[in-house]
Amino acid sequence: MPMLTTEDFQALSITLRLAFISTVILLILGTPLAWWLARSRWKLKFAIEALIALPLVLPPTVLGFYLLLALGPNGPLGSLSQSLGGGSLAFTFTGLVIGSVIYSLPFVVQPLQDAFASVGRRPLEVAATLRASPLDRFFTVAVPMARRGFFTAAVLAFAHTVGEFGVVLMIGGNIPGQTRVASIAIYDHVERLAYGQAHVLSAVLLALSFLLLIAVYANTRRPRLLQS
């Protein structure tokens, strides 16, 4: 019976590390952005929302291609990194993190934006009458009331990063121990007609993704179960 190889475990380790780091960064960057989108009345806000949602409809290879150009030695981000002594960002784990953050941004911003919008203005206005500062109102009122949105955003970002293929392949290539993630390892197995190995690794990702989605649906349905 086929078993996971050392390279498979290595690819899984890189995948999980990439997903964890990307999720943390996404929550840090996505929270203030989602808060602004939920509260702002700017007429052109829809353009920012469309830009954030672009990875949902853009082919991953297209996004990966332009990110490769940006992260390469002649690109703006790659040139900046080289000027700071960091070298090119293309075909590195750091490049994978940058690409994953951009690719998974809507999976964090949209749930958080909906969660913040559902808080409404009344609880914040009440907190303001109690002399709570804007920062206090955010952390003591908005964040606790939007905690389900944070959970959903974190799980979706993690799961989406685990399943990436086109973007990570374009940006990181297929370097064992550095940029080869689980989805690329599965592709390698299929190319070599090692369907047994591909099945085992695919089953691991399938089970992980299913468990993450169960957590999301259980979290969002809990209020209805309590009401019934």
Side-chain angles (χ1 to χ4, degrees):
M1 178 179 179
M3 300 291 291
L4 291 176
T5 65
T6 301
E7 289 187 350
D8 290 337
F9 280 111
Q10 200 173 47
L12 279 172
S13 175
I14 293 173
T15 301
L16 296 177
R17 183 159 59 98
L18 174 64
F20 176 78
I21 295 174
S22 299
T23 300
V24 172
I25 295 175
L26 281 165
L27 289 175
I28 294 173
L29 297 179
T31 298
L33 182 56
W35 175 251
W36 177 80
L37 289 173
R39 304 279 293 175
S40 175
R41 295 181 178 179
W42 185 41
K43 293 182 179 180
L44 297 179
K45 182 180 68 173
F46 65 88
I48 305 298
E49 292 175 320
L51 182 63
I52 293 172
L54 193 59
L56 294 176
V57 297
L58 196 66
T61 50
V62 173
L63 179 61
F65 171 70
Y66 284 113
L67 285 174
L68 179 62
L69 294 181
L71 299 175
N74 298 322
L77 296 179
S79 299
L80 177 61
S81 177
Q82 286 183 320
S83 65
L84 297 175
S88 176
L89 294 173
F91 307 111
T92 65
F93 182 80
T94 302
L96 290 184
V97 172
I98 295 174
S100 297
V101 167
I102 295 175
Y103 189 46
S104 297
L105 186 61
F107 289 88
V108 169
V109 172
Q110 291 183 357
L112 287 180
Q113 182 181 350
D114 292 340
F116 286 141
S118 67
V119 171
R121 297 183 178 273
R122 181 63 178 171
L124 300 172
E125 292 171 352
V126 172
T129 62
L130 299 175
R131 298 182 180 180
S133 68
L135 199 60
D136 288 337
R137 295 198 296 269
F138 177 75
F139 283 106
T140 62
V141 178
V143 171
M145 294 184 69
R147 62 186 180 276
R148 295 190 187 279
F150 277 96
F151 179 81
T152 300
V155 173
L156 289 180
F158 190 93
H160 190 247
T161 304
V162 167
E164 287 179 25
F165 177 77
V167 171
V168 294
L169 181 61
M170 293 290 288
I171 300 174
N174 189 2
I175 306 174
Q178 297 183 39
T179 62
R180 178 186 288 169
V181 295
S183 58
I184 296 177
I186 293 172
Y187 180 77
D188 286 343
H189 288 319
V190 173
E191 273 200 321
R192 296 195 300 265
L193 301 181
Y195 293 136
Q197 292 297 135
H199 171 69
V200 173
L201 191 52
S202 296
V204 172
L205 294 187
L206 175 63
L208 177 60
S209 300
F210 184 62
L211 290 175
L212 290 174
L213 286 176
I214 284 180
V216 170
Y217 280 101
N219 180 68
T220 55
R221 288 176 179 270
R222 192 175 305 166
R224 298 180 183 178
L225 292 176
L226 291 177
Q227 289 174 4
S228 61

